[in-house]
Amino acid sequence: MNSKAIETETLAGMAGPASRHISRDERLIFENSAPGKRGMELPPLDVPAVDPAASLGRDFVRDSIEGFPEVSEIEVIRHFTRLSSWNYAIDLGMYPLGSCTMKYNPRVNEFVARLDGLASEHPEQPAEVSQGCLRILHDLQKCLLAITGMDAATLQPAAGAQGELTGLLLIRAYLQSQGNARKKVLIPDSAHGTNPASVVIAGYEVQNIKSNERGQIDTDHLREYVNGDVAALMLTNPSTIGVFEERIAEIAQILHERGALVYMDGANMNALAGITRPGDFGVDVMHLNLHKTFSTPHGGGGPGAGPVMVKKILEPFLPVPVVVQKENGQYALDHNRPRAIGRVRAYCGNFGVLLRALAYTLAYGPGIRQATEDAVVNANYIRKHLEGIFDLPYNLPSMHEVVFSDARQKKHGVNTMDIAKRLIDFGFHPYTTAFPLIVPGAMMIEPTESESREECDHFIGAMRAIAAEAEANPELLKTAPHSTRVGRLDEVAAARKPILRWKP
Amino acid sequence: MYPSDYRYTKDHEWIKLDGTVGTIGITEYAQAELGDVVFVELPKAGTQVKSGQSFGTVESVKAVSELFSPVSGEVTETNAALADSPEKINQDPHGAAWLVKVRLADPKEISGLMDAAAYQAYIAEKAKEHSA
Amino acid sequence: MRYLPKSPSERREMLESIGARSVEVFFQSIPEKFRLREPLPLPGPLSEMEIIQYFQARAAENARGFTSFLGAGVYQHLRSVVTDALVQRGEFLTSYTPYQAEMAQGTLTAIFEFQTLMSQLTGQEVANASMYDGSTALTEAVLMAERLTGRHRVLVARSVHPEYRQVLATYAKNLGLEVEEVRYAESGQIDRATLTPEVLATAAAVVVQSPNFFGVLEDLPALAERVHAAGGLVVNAITEAVSLGIVRPPAEADIVAMEGQAFGVAPSFGGPYVGVIATREKFVRQMPGRLAGQTTDAAGRRGFVLTLATREQHIRREKATSNICTNEALYALVATIHLCLLGKEGLREMALQNLAKARFAQAELEKIPGVRRVFSGPTFNEFTLEFPRSVKLINAALLREKIVGPFALGTHYPELAKRALVCVTETAPRAEIERMVTAVRRILETPV
């Protein structure tokens, strides 16, 4: 698409040159504001009005909010509709982002989340009028336990990172009950940044362990590392290079022999659901990312949910409240748990997200395996057709994601970021660029099962074309993207002199 | 490029000694590796620093690098200009963008550091490693 | 399966193209003993209609159609259908975190607007792009105060939401942060008299909530003066954000941790909600969470990017300000749209309606013999009343009349048995308020 041509085009017979439609230059809502406009009207007050200054005291009353928007309903609709047109989304096309699992967000999930009687319920209302909500939570719990092969769960954590923290606190509580909470947690150098950050907040020290030449945990070194100070190993399986840790049984044994535990970051569960269960291969505690494997929408950055699944030994320490079914069949939130680690957030969890994950699971039932198989085939199909064009640092079987590097293209002066930015011009969101750290110039690609063969072929075609451009015309990549509303933005200026809000 | 009266560390800091006070900064190589510097975090005057230990950080948009002190001693002065103009580190890393001045606990400590020739050889080796 | 865009023949062709005999090839790296041989015992598969039926059945088992007088951290407010119409657009709903700014200007512009609105409302200089909720926002705000002052002790008012305090305790325990409780005075506000210079000298912060869990507004300027004199910070939590429509913003606080649920987010049995941290510009590098910043491209066009990312986990890893990655972006968008619709006058009018309805309900309830106001401090839309009988018993009877009664404070405060926190918002029609009052009167007249 050549936007310059559109700009200079004029329509014969018009008074002046045609301009780009106003939606290209939509301003901030504050800049569209004018006194006296309203977007929402309230029903009239049916009780006597009260003067706030008289009722609260002058000192407690605010002045008018300076700069607050005043716009009409249609302006709000147009403003945000125009903004939305500047976004890419799963509904438009593939996000090949490794370890993000950007799959289709089923619309029925949105419908049921909004039902009156579900969206309207207050978390503090009595259990006898919350049985529907509690059963949803309990049913989801049962499904997640079946999928992971674990014994008990907490649905409270609001995201994967919070799930990690919760899991680490559970490990601490358990080890403390055994006499010694220990000091360190082992983390592979291929781990996601939330892992070490969570370890520190749990009051442990991070000990990085190097991956071997296969990008896997080196079991010989692991034996050396695991001593009486080590509380746990935090691993992602399959790893962040998309490869299953083949020696997982041995790894688990090494930890367990020394009284330590195995934590699994469940971000890559999309390669395992219906195929294998972490509870079977030695995992003691893990979190799931419902906004990844379980299709809940990313919404531009959140919300998510990070439920934590545990083996029996950790059950007493789960945060309050725990969702239970009593003997009489009634569901309840159990607050009476004296050994609980406490609570990691108010109320029982991101209910609206949990509800959507249940709807997703019900849609598949035992057939969830098919989704996993499709995801793995898509990743390997893309790998097959890009191998030989992009450098493959770890020549091992890929599961649901594949990691290339920019090593070949670097010879022409372009790197993974340039290739990623040029991919935008072909209508795709970039793959994951900066991660994992063990692959310099990484290109982490995860298509998910939501991509058709056609979409995969388009992606392969685009990547091959870009590889050719990298040789013939590297400047095109270095100045990409060319087709978006704005070009590459100056992140340096944004960091040096941050402007974080609008001012009149 | 690399002043002959400076001494250098493997972490790409330089130090210029004036009596017992050393002026410390990061090298041209370091700033090129970092890219555009957006922020520097430096210790207050009076802070004790130890050789080989971190005394602050320098940030680009996508990375944070720790600053390791070449010597032990007490910080006497911090370069206030860098708060408003961190880009000076990219423009003049060996001069106007000095980071801190330190009164050395032991001025002889400096003899353990690389001279300009040794440092240049060191970074030449590093460049070879990267393109291998 | 309707979510999978492959025909059986396409699956075969793709396998052939890869050179794999079957999909099993890709699972060979999993030790055989761990490979499942049977499908998982899961309910389903359900068609779309069956899924809807399942959830409609669940909805019928809750408090649909009841009138609620519960607040206690989650508030029922009027919402426009416009918000959902916009938020359900796929370009918002199904888009990713805006790390690739050029193709996410919609999300980033909206975040910038959210940050601006939150700053304007709270009287602070900057605000972030959201935290999980008010409870974790408060916890993170406290940790921020600890980092900023280098002091490892905080004083927390007992009148802060009990679950928020529990979350703080859960985090603080492992970080060597000492948390001490400060009692409340007869007004219901924090007992400032106990905050002597000696007590404050080693405190990183004094943490209050306003309006607090009893519904009472705190006197922040007076508190701030005392705390700042001792070198500490004031952290203010807000759970009922609509109060900012008429209540003086906490400009004297150093860090504000707000729950934004009241801005158009459905109660949804506990979440998802939207927390936010707002603070002074000089503290911004210690603030956790994402931030959208304004900048330009090479042609000088205004655009927005995520900025100051070096604070965050994906760069700073174990030295990050927080481990937060996924936040509550979609609900920050809900709040943004909702506030733009309400606008300056609408938010004020909504707050005034809350005040009026709460005063009306309180006056009517206080006419009942034995029902008494508890705290003397000023309140917004929640107030604490003492009843002559157990609140749980009153509420059980109210439930039979399809009324969800006020929060029994004895649940968290043993010293406040027989006291309830009544919440009345603009959503309660006068007739329903009167029906509730009549019911309470009748229940209390009935011998036990």
Side-chain angles (χ1 to χ4, degrees):
Chain A
M1 177 171 77
N2 186 343
S3 44
K4 270 199 152 43
I6 296 167
E7 203 169 6
T8 54
E9 191 179 270
T10 55
L11 291 171
M14 290 270 292
S19 64
R20 294 161 125 191
H21 192 272
I22 194 172
S23 68
R24 307 285 291 177
D25 296 316
E26 177 68 13
R27 301 180 300 172
L28 294 171
I29 195 79
F30 311 97
E31 294 162 336
N32 292 339
S33 183
K37 291 198 275 188
R38 291 265 302 246
M40 187 174 151
E41 275 132 10
L42 303 177
L45 189 59
D46 56 6
V47 299
V50 168
D51 172 24
S55 185
L56 299 172
R58 183 123 295 251
D59 288 340
F60 281 101
V61 177
R62 80 175 303 152
D63 298 324
S64 173
I65 310 171
E66 203 198 318
F68 214 68
E70 294 184 88
V71 288
S72 61
E73 179 176 324
I74 182 166
E75 288 169 289
V76 172
I77 287 267
R78 285 205 176 141
H79 176 74
F80 290 99
T81 304
R82 288 166 182 171
L83 291 192
S84 77
S85 74
W86 303 341
N87 272 0
Y88 189 76
I90 296 174
D91 280 5
L92 287 169
M94 166 159 60
Y95 275 89
L97 287 165
S99 273
C100 286
T101 313
M102 297 296 288
K103 64 172 72 181
Y104 171 57
N105 309 136
R107 278 322 188 279
V108 65
N109 302 357
E110 296 307 306
F111 181 83
V112 296
R114 287 169 166 81
L115 287 173
D116 186 27
L118 293 178
S120 47
E121 306 310 282
H122 192 291
E124 299 284 10
Q125 67 192 32
E128 53 258 59
V129 291
S130 308
Q131 289 298 300
C133 291
L134 294 170
R135 178 169 159 188
I136 287 169
L137 293 173
H138 197 261
D139 283 356
L140 174 69
Q141 209 165 258
K142 278 192 345 217
C143 288
L144 297 182
L145 290 172
I147 291 170
T148 56
M150 306 293 275
D151 302 325
T154 171
L155 301 176
Q156 200 179 73
Q162 214 189 29
E164 290 168 20
L165 175 64
T166 304
L168 290 163
L169 293 181
L170 291 170
I171 289 171
R172 173 182 280 282
Y174 168 74
L175 290 174
Q176 189 71 60
S177 78
Q178 302 287 303
N180 177 11
R182 308 193 181 192
K183 299 203 182 84
K184 300 189 204 181
V185 173
L186 304 178
I187 300 189
D189 49 11
S190 54
H192 190 273
T194 50
N195 290 184
S198 302
V199 165
V200 167
I201 299 174
Y204 280 114
E205 266 170 55
V206 172
Q207 163 119 41
N208 283 305
I209 57 178
K210 284 199 181 333
S211 309
N212 62 18
E213 71 288 347
R214 290 164 68 80
Q216 312 227 288
I217 292 176
D218 186 326
T219 44
D220 294 324
H221 281 156
L222 186 65
R223 267 175 232 283
E224 286 166 30
Y225 284 122
V226 181
N227 58 29
D229 276 346
V230 169
L233 165 70
M234 212 167 167
L235 94 165
T236 308
N237 195 18
S239 70
T240 53
I241 55 167
V243 175
F244 193 84
E245 287 280 357
E246 295 164 342
R247 305 176 88 171
I248 182 66
E250 199 186 330
I251 290 168
Q253 191 184 26
I254 293 170
L255 273 297
H256 292 151
E257 264 169 11
R258 288 156 181 76
L261 286 88
V262 177
Y263 181 96
M264 187 178 113
D265 180 332
N268 286 337
M269 197 65 201
N270 213 46
L272 305 182
I275 307 291
T276 181
R277 301 182 312 180
D280 292 339
F281 56 69
V283 172
D284 300 299
V285 49
M286 62 176 287
H287 78 267
L288 291 167
N289 299 71
L290 298 190
H291 47 296
K292 295 185 179 187
T293 321
F294 291 85
S295 87
T296 71
H298 275 77
V308 174
M309 332 297 298
V310 300
K311 285 285 168 69
K312 241 187 163 25
I313 52 170
L314 296 175
E315 186 177 5
F317 310 101
L318 290 172
V320 291
V322 172
V323 180
V324 297
Q325 186 173 24
K326 301 197 286 200
E327 263 167 36
N328 62 4
Q330 292 278 295
Y331 299 95
L333 292 174
D334 181 12
H335 285 90
N336 185 15
R337 302 184 65 90
R339 302 174 85 189
I341 54 173
R343 62 162 62 238
V344 295
R345 54 155 293 163
Y347 315 118
C348 59
N350 270 354
F351 177 77
V353 176
L354 300 164
L355 183 164
R356 287 168 171 85
L358 178 60
Y360 169 82
T361 310
L362 292 173
Y364 273 101
I368 193 114
R369 188 192 170 102
Q370 183 68 72
T372 308
E373 289 179 358
D374 278 10
V376 167
V377 168
N378 279 354
N380 280 280
Y381 182 76
I382 287 174
R383 171 180 164 156
K384 179 75 179 176
H385 295 287
L386 293 180
E387 253 175 358
I389 296 177
F390 294 95
D391 170 60
L392 191 71
Y394 293 97
N395 193 0
L396 294 166
S398 299
M399 295 198 79
H400 68 314
E401 64 189 0
V402 56
V403 180
F404 292 104
S405 93
D406 60 6
R408 290 184 204 187
Q409 287 68 31
K410 264 196 117 110
K411 300 191 179 110
H412 306 285
V414 302
N415 62 28
T416 178
M417 185 62 77
D418 301 320
I419 298 167
K421 294 291 185 191
R422 181 61 179 151
L423 192 55
I424 295 173
D425 290 331
F426 285 80
F428 289 99
H429 189 278
Y431 46 73
T432 305
T433 53
F435 164 69
L437 298 180
I438 55 169
V439 178
M443 299 163 58
M444 199 203 286
I445 295 167
E446 180 190 354
T448 87
E449 70 276 15
S450 300
E451 300 313 323
S452 66
R453 191 230 170 114
E454 203 177 43
E455 192 80 5
C456 291
D457 284 340
H458 276 144
F459 177 75
I460 290 163
M463 290 293 285
R464 295 179 107 161
I466 295 170
E469 283 176 352
E471 269 183 72
N473 188 1
E475 263 318 287
L476 201 53
L477 276 68
K478 298 197 81 59
T479 50
H482 306 282
S483 57
T484 48
R485 187 176 168 273
V486 294
R488 266 199 227 200
L489 290 161
D490 188 351
E491 295 184 317
V492 173
R496 280 186 184 154
K497 299 262 185 281
I499 302 171
L500 304 172
R501 61 177 286 188
W502 172 83
K503 288 193 175 135
Chain B
M1 161 79 63
Y2 292 100
S4 55
D5 56 339
Y6 289 13
R7 290 288 174 270
Y8 302 85
T9 71
K10 285 201 155 61
D11 297 304
H12 311 289
E13 283 90 12
W14 56 261
I15 179 167
K16 175 182 182 210
L17 198 56
D18 201 344
T20 57
V21 175
T23 305
I24 296 169
I26 64 169
T27 65
E28 165 64 35
Y29 179 88
Q31 76 76 21
E33 284 275 292
L34 264 173
D36 292 298
V37 175
V38 303
F39 186 71
V40 190
E41 199 178 345
L42 297 171
K44 286 201 276 272
T47 312
Q48 296 298 320
V49 294
K50 272 183 81 165
S51 168
Q53 283 191 358
S54 167
F55 68 91
T57 58
V58 57
E59 292 180 23
S60 62
V61 168
K62 296 256 191 298
V64 182
S65 281
E66 295 209 66
L67 299 162
F68 296 100
S69 183
V71 294
S72 302
E74 184 182 303
V75 176
T76 58
E77 214 185 317
T78 306
N79 189 345
L82 296 178
D84 266 341
S85 308
E87 61 271 17
K88 279 191 167 37
I89 294 183
N90 299 112
Q91 292 156 0
D92 190 7
H94 297 160
W98 58 273
L99 301 173
V100 292
K101 295 196 203 256
V102 172
R103 176 167 299 107
L104 274 69
D106 176 13
K108 290 202 288 304
E109 207 180 357
I110 206 164
S111 58
L113 303 172
M114 289 184 270
D115 65 12
Y119 182 67
Q120 275 173 221
Y122 172 64
I123 57 180
E125 259 312 301
K126 273 207 157 323
K128 260 202 252 157
E129 275 170 33
H130 275 186
S131 58
Chain C
M1 201 287 165
R2 58 194 178 281
Y3 303 156
L4 298 175
K6 287 217 208 61
S7 65
S9 62
E10 278 173 329
R11 288 193 177 98
R12 273 195 304 275
E13 282 162 25
M14 288 176 84
L15 280 175
E16 266 168 45
S17 176
I18 298 168
R21 258 176 307 107
S22 85
V23 73
E24 291 311 313
V25 156
F26 304 118
F27 301 120
Q28 293 301 303
S29 46
I30 302 175
E32 197 177 345
K33 61 183 170 180
F34 300 138
R35 275 181 252 152
L36 295 170
R37 274 167 249 299
E38 297 294 318
L40 289 171
L42 293 169
L46 298 186
S47 65
E48 179 185 296
M49 295 76 213
E50 289 166 302
I51 291 173
I52 292 173
Q53 271 163 21
Y54 169 91
F55 285 97
Q56 277 173 340
R58 302 292 77 75
E61 294 161 356
N62 293 326
R64 190 167 56 186
F66 283 42
T67 301
S68 170
F69 292 91
L70 270 179
V74 176
Y75 303 92
Q76 316 259 8
H77 286 293
L78 294 173
R79 296 198 300 285
S80 164
V81 298
V82 170
T83 306
D84 249 2
L86 288 166
V87 149
Q88 290 207 71
R89 291 184 69 84
E91 299 91 332
F92 282 135
L93 184 73
T94 74
S95 72
Y96 182 62
T97 311
Y99 293 122
Q100 297 291 347
E102 300 86 357
M103 43 191 343
Q105 286 299 294
T107 297
L108 285 160
T109 307
I111 295 175
F112 189 78
E113 291 175 336
F114 174 79
Q115 288 168 194
T116 304
L117 292 168
M118 296 300 112
S119 306
Q120 291 171 332
L121 285 165
T122 58
Q124 295 290 322
E125 288 167 345
V126 297
N128 67 9
S130 74
M131 306 298 290
Y132 305 136
D133 74 337
S135 71
T136 52
L138 182 62
T139 298
E140 298 265 18
V142 168
L143 297 178
M144 191 177 147
E146 191 193 4
R147 285 193 295 273
L148 285 167
T149 58
R151 297 179 182 176
H152 307 292
R153 183 171 153 263
V154 288
L155 304 169
V156 181
R158 186 170 168 71
S159 51
V160 169
H161 194 308
E163 294 195 6
Y164 283 37
R165 285 184 285 126
Q166 284 167 25
V167 174
L168 175 59
T170 304
Y171 276 70
K173 201 162 47 184
N174 308 291
L175 296 170
L177 177 64
E178 221 183 293
V179 180
E180 271 169 48
E181 193 175 277
V182 183
R183 64 175 190 233
Y184 49 88
E186 259 188 64
S187 61
Q189 296 170 329
I190 189 174
D191 188 349
R192 271 200 315 280
T194 64
L195 299 174
T196 61
E198 295 74 50
V199 166
L200 291 172
T202 54
V206 173
V207 183
V208 292
Q209 176 182 319
S210 185
N212 65 26
F213 196 70
F214 308 138
V216 175
L217 297 169
E218 295 283 354
D219 183 347
L220 281 170
L223 178 67
E225 210 184 308
R226 218 176 255 251
V227 174
H228 291 156
L233 300 174
V234 173
V235 175
N236 181 43
I238 303 177
T239 59
E240 178 31 307
V242 167
S243 63
L244 292 172
I246 53 173
V247 172
R248 194 166 173 287
E252 294 80 10
D254 300 286
I255 311 172
V256 175
M258 183 155 74
E259 170 57 70
Q261 175 272 325
F263 292 144
V265 178
S268 197
F269 205 63
Y273 297 152
V274 51
V276 65
I277 292 180
T279 189
R280 305 183 189 292
E281 203 156 348
K282 63 182 178 183
F283 297 149
V284 78
R285 281 175 191 280
Q286 286 305 322
M287 182 162 74
R290 297 190 192 122
L291 283 167
Q294 183 176 306
T295 186
T296 50
D297 69 2
R301 283 181 285 245
R302 178 172 68 183
F304 301 94
V305 289
L306 291 178
T307 190
L308 300 185
T310 47
R311 297 161 303 122
E312 297 185 72
Q313 49 73 31
H314 57 293
I315 294 177
R316 201 69 85 138
R317 295 174 74 91
E318 60 261 36
K319 302 211 168 102
T321 49
S322 165
N323 67 344
I324 190 170
C325 183
T326 295
N327 59 12
E328 300 288 319
L330 193 68
Y331 291 90
L333 181 62
V334 165
T336 302
I337 295 170
H338 178 79
L339 289 170
C340 288
L341 286 166
L342 273 178
K344 186 188 284 199
E345 287 313 312
L347 182 61
R348 181 179 153 76
E349 188 188 338
M350 180 178 273
L352 287 172
Q353 287 205 2
N354 275 256
L355 188 68
K357 299 232 187 194
R359 293 290 184 268
F360 175 77
Q362 186 169 1
E364 293 300 300
L365 284 165
E366 284 176 4
K367 288 178 187 160
I368 301 173
V371 177
R372 271 196 302 269
R373 175 181 187 162
V374 176
F375 298 113
S376 56
T379 59
F380 174 60
N381 65 2
E382 288 186 282
F383 50 93
T384 304
L385 294 178
E386 184 183 347
F387 291 85
R389 203 174 285 186
S390 148
V391 176
K392 291 217 158 73
L393 289 177
I394 297 172
N395 282 344
L398 283 173
L399 207 58
R400 289 194 283 275
E401 317 230 6
K402 294 196 159 194
I403 295 172
V404 178
F407 188 82
L409 285 169
T411 312
H412 293 301
Y413 300 88
E415 76 275 17
L416 295 176
K418 295 198 187 151
R419 276 101 168 145
L421 178 69
V422 185
C423 177
V424 190
T425 72
E426 79 285 358
T427 60
R430 178 181 181 137
E432 282 299 286
I433 299 172
E434 286 167 338
R435 186 168 79 86
M436 180 267 291
V437 175
T438 306
V440 172
R441 186 186 288 274
R442 192 182 347 106
I443 290 162
L444 291 175
E445 279 168 1
T446 312
V448 177

